[in-house]
Amino acid sequence: MNTEMSKTNRWLSSLLASALLAAAALPAAAQAPALGQGPGFHDPRSPFKPLQEREGVLSWPLLSSVTVKAEKNKLVPSFPAAVQALDKKTVKVQGFMMPLEPGDKQRHFLLSSVPTSCSFCVAAGPEGLIEVRSKTPVRYTLDPVTVEGQMSVLSNDPYGLFYRVTEAQPVAAN
């Protein structure tokens, strides 16, 4: 693994771990939605509209239907059959881009079910994020993007991710 990828992976792991630990430290009433449930919170003050369901594009409510349980210091996902069936399938996904590399064209980034409201915050838990590795660069934008690629459902990812799309290519919005 090259040094730059190793730095990115350590950063990603640290970011997700910090978000999960911060959420777990909140009183139960302040956790909306509860840890490990839901695709994230769309701030009503956001200038960006929530994602709209689109035919032929993977649904975030489906992806967020995963349940998790805490075991030692990590979350262990349990995926419903409909989500498990997506593993190794070609899918289209839409979301808000969170770059993991410098530059205006990205080959490695996260898609979030909700827009970020803070430069240093993760907008959703692992059920509201998809790691994307693209074949062709995708121009960074604050608007939602759609990509198509091979989905992996991850039950034991070392970085705490639940989903990854590889060999992704940008898809023109309808």
Side-chain angles (χ1 to χ4, degrees), residues 145-168:
V145 298
T146 304
V147 296
E148 182 173 13
Q150 183 168 340
M151 177 73 147
S152 294
V153 177
L154 310 169
S155 58
N156 193 19
D157 184 69
Y159 303 109
L161 293 167
F162 294 169
Y163 306 109
R164 181 175 297 121
V165 172
T166 56
E167 300 296 310

Side-chain angles (χ1 to χ4, degrees), residues 120-131:
F120 305 101
C121 302
V122 178
E127 66 281 2
L129 298 171
I130 300 173
E131 180 183 17

Side-chain angles (χ1 to χ4, degrees), residues 45-158:
R45 300 167 295 177
S46 173
F48 303 99
K49 294 179 182 175
L51 293 172
Q52 299 298 310
E53 293 288 318
R54 293 176 35 212
E55 189 173 329
V57 176
L58 198 53
S59 159
W60 281 104
L62 173 63
L63 292 177
S64 66
S65 66
V66 61
T67 57
V68 296
K69 63 180 179 177
E71 285 185 4
K72 297 185 182 175
N73 61 347
K74 71 178 190 173
L75 295 177
V76 178
S78 176
F79 300 101
V83 173
Q84 289 176 357
L86 297 170
D87 194 44
K88 310 266 187 283
K89 301 285 191 239
T90 299
V91 298
K92 288 182 186 174
V93 293
Q94 67 174 340
F96 296 93
M97 188 180 255
M98 297 174 64
L100 294 174
E101 303 172 324
D104 66 338
K105 292 188 176 181
Q106 301 288 308
R107 287 184 179 268
H108 184 210
F109 54 94
L110 296 176
L111 277 185
S112 173
S113 59
V114 294
T116 57
S117 57
C118 165
S119 304
F120 305 101
C121 302
V122 178
E127 66 281 2
L129 298 171
I130 300 173
E131 180 183 17
V132 177
R133 297 233 178 229
S134 67
K135 286 195 321 192
T136 57
V138 179
R139 182 172 297 281
Y140 174 70
T141 178
L142 295 173
D143 295 320
V145 298
T146 304
V147 296
E148 182 173 13
Q150 183 168 340
M151 177 73 147
S152 294
V153 177
L154 310 169
S155 58
N156 193 19
D157 184 69

